[in-house]
Amino acid sequence: MARGATLVLVERIMPPKLSTSIDHQAVARADLNMLVGLGGRERTLHKFNALLQDADFRIVSCTPAALNFNVIEAKVGRS
């Protein structure tokens, strides 16, 4: 991707610390389903940031969307 290009991810974001709220329970269930079925996992925003930085992206915004999903916008290039 060219410098300044935009990458859009639609993901659930695991909170840094889970509580007993309905939203947190839903994310925890999704995490378990991904781990068992696909070998994947839900990630915190900090983990997404680290993965994206390793690929020379920077997070520009993170916007809540429907059904506990978030839209993460990232750009190529850290500056």
Side-chain angles (χ1 to χ4, degrees):
M1 294 175 75
R3 193 158 214 64
T6 301
L7 173 69
V8 177
L9 304 170
V10 179
E11 294 282 348
R12 287 186 180 96
I13 296 178
M14 180 71 79
K17 184 176 180 181
L18 289 171
S19 71
T20 58
S21 75
I22 292 172
D23 288 342
H24 286 197
Q25 288 176 19
V27 172
R29 276 192 305 276
D31 186 45
L32 287 172
N33 285 333
M34 285 181 60
L35 182 62
V36 170
L38 304 170
R41 66 177 53 151
E42 300 294 355
R43 294 180 167 87
T44 64
L45 190 56
H46 179 76
K47 294 271 186 183
F48 275 113
N49 191 47
L51 285 170
L52 289 166
Q53 281 184 353
D54 285 349
D56 197 31
F57 283 87
R58 62 186 166 83
I59 292 178
V60 176
S61 66
C62 180
T63 306
L67 303 171
N68 293 321
F69 282 89
N70 294 273
V71 178
I72 302 169
E73 179 184 356
K75 296 256 184 204
V76 175
R78 295 182 190 162
S79 56

